[in-house]
Amino acid sequence: MKCFFCALAIASMGFSAQAQADSVLGVYAGVDFWQSNISGRFANNEPMQAFEFRDRSQQTYYVALEHFLPIVPNIRIQYASLQARGAAILGDNFNYAGVSFSAGNHITSSLMLRNADYTLYYELFDNPLLSVDLGLNAKHVKGDITATSAESAGTEQLNQWIPMVYLDSKVSILATGLDIFVSGSVGAVKDGNVYDAQAGVAYQLIDNMVVDARLKLGFRALDLRVEGLDNLYADLTFKGVFAGIELHF
């Protein structure tokens, strides 16, 4: 995996040097509001306990700096706090975080996972019709997952860095102010994998010398699967429609 990431970085540097030479200094900042449908299960070992999670609104914030220097990558930082609450009636005994929950009990679950993504990327293409960015992303997942009954509660904490490959692409529809975008990152950690992807359509609301404003509407899916990471087995999926605004200074 490390060799693959190194090869990808070297290749992207070579392809992007000329494209970056034509770029100008710019700052991008945005926020997305995401109505996520949540499904999943977790435990300290196999088999995992499934829960019925309630839909929840999530927010994502990001900022990116692009510059004219060749070879030196652009940088993007994104932050999201993923929260969820669910419930289950146990069909079998469930042992979690040192706590024993008996079969037939009603238990609830709560998730609080803070995600910070640090991305270094290059512009492979950057013209009025097509934009493609490629890079490497380090995702930091930190938080806790709790199971609670009427008598007791058990909590496990997750604190991991996950290496990922990042891609962002946009195709503009001339003379309309519209564009179609696909972006996301994918990676692997221990015996699990993670992906975070989105696709949709955007409209250039403001376009002048001071600031550009772009409205976005699309669908996003995030899947986190880990096996034995920080004493956790988890298979969690967040997916749903999102809307956002992006400013370019």
Side-chain angles (χ1 to χ4, degrees):
M1 180 62 72
K2 290 182 179 178
C3 293
F4 171 74
F5 284 164
C6 291
L8 175 65
I10 293 171
S12 62
M13 287 167 60
F15 281 114
S16 63
Q18 182 60 45
Q20 283 212 307
D22 297 330
S23 299
V24 295
L25 185 66
V27 176
Y28 294 81
V31 57
D32 294 337
F33 300 92
W34 180 25
Q35 186 62 32
S36 60
N37 174 271
I38 307 160
S39 61
R41 50 190 182 143
F42 63 85
N44 290 134
N45 47 48
E46 295 279 10
M48 291 180 278
Q49 173 62 47
F51 290 84
E52 292 290 333
F53 291 99
R54 295 193 295 269
D55 295 354
R56 186 182 177 99
S57 177
Q58 320 278 357
Q59 290 80 44
T60 301
Y61 308 91
Y62 62 89
V63 61
L65 174 64
E66 294 188 351
H67 54 78
F68 59 89
L69 299 174
I71 306 301
V72 179
N74 302 302
I75 185 169
R76 185 180 192 273
I77 300 174
Q78 176 175 294
Y79 176 81
S81 179
L82 300 177
Q83 302 180 49
R85 291 187 179 276
I89 297 177
L90 298 179
D92 297 298
N93 293 338
F94 178 48
N95 297 313
Y96 181 71
V99 179
S100 295
F101 301 94
S102 300
N105 278 358
H106 178 271
I107 63 173
T108 61
S109 61
S110 63
L111 286 71
M112 169 64 84
L113 299 176
R114 293 170 290 278
N115 290 255
D117 293 87
Y118 303 92
T119 304
L120 299 177
Y121 68 94
Y122 295 95
E123 296 178 282
L124 300 186
F125 298 95
D126 185 16
N127 59 60
L129 284 178
L130 176 65
S131 172
V132 178
D133 298 337
L134 182 66
L136 301 178
N137 171 29
K139 177 185 283 290
H140 186 209
V141 181
K142 183 178 181 180
D144 51 65
I145 302 177
T146 300
T148 306
S149 69
E151 296 81 20
S152 55
T155 300
E156 294 285 7
Q157 295 185 335
L158 184 65
N159 187 0
Q160 290 289 330
W161 288 91
I162 303 172
M164 307 181 78
V165 177
Y166 169 81
L167 174 69
D168 180 58
S169 61
K170 179 178 69 175
V171 178
S172 298
I173 304 174
L174 290 179
T176 65
L178 297 172
D179 66 76
I180 298 170
F181 64 87
V182 176
S183 64
S185 53
V186 60
V189 55
K190 204 172 180 180
D191 294 324
N193 58 78
V194 180
Y195 72 78
D196 185 357
Q198 59 180 246
V201 62
Y203 176 69
Q204 195 76 25
L205 182 65
I206 302 173
D207 185 3
N208 58 46
M209 295 294 293
V210 178
V211 63
D212 300 338
R214 181 167 166 254
L215 301 179
K216 300 186 297 177
L217 179 66
F219 186 88
R220 180 181 177 186
L222 185 153
D223 188 76
L224 173 65
R225 299 183 184 183
V226 297
E227 295 183 8
L229 194 64
D230 284 349
N231 203 36
L232 266 174
Y233 284 71
D235 184 359
L236 302 169
T237 301
F238 299 75
K239 59 183 179 181
V241 175
F242 76 92
I245 183 169
E246 179 181 271
L247 303 179
H248 175 208
F249 303 95

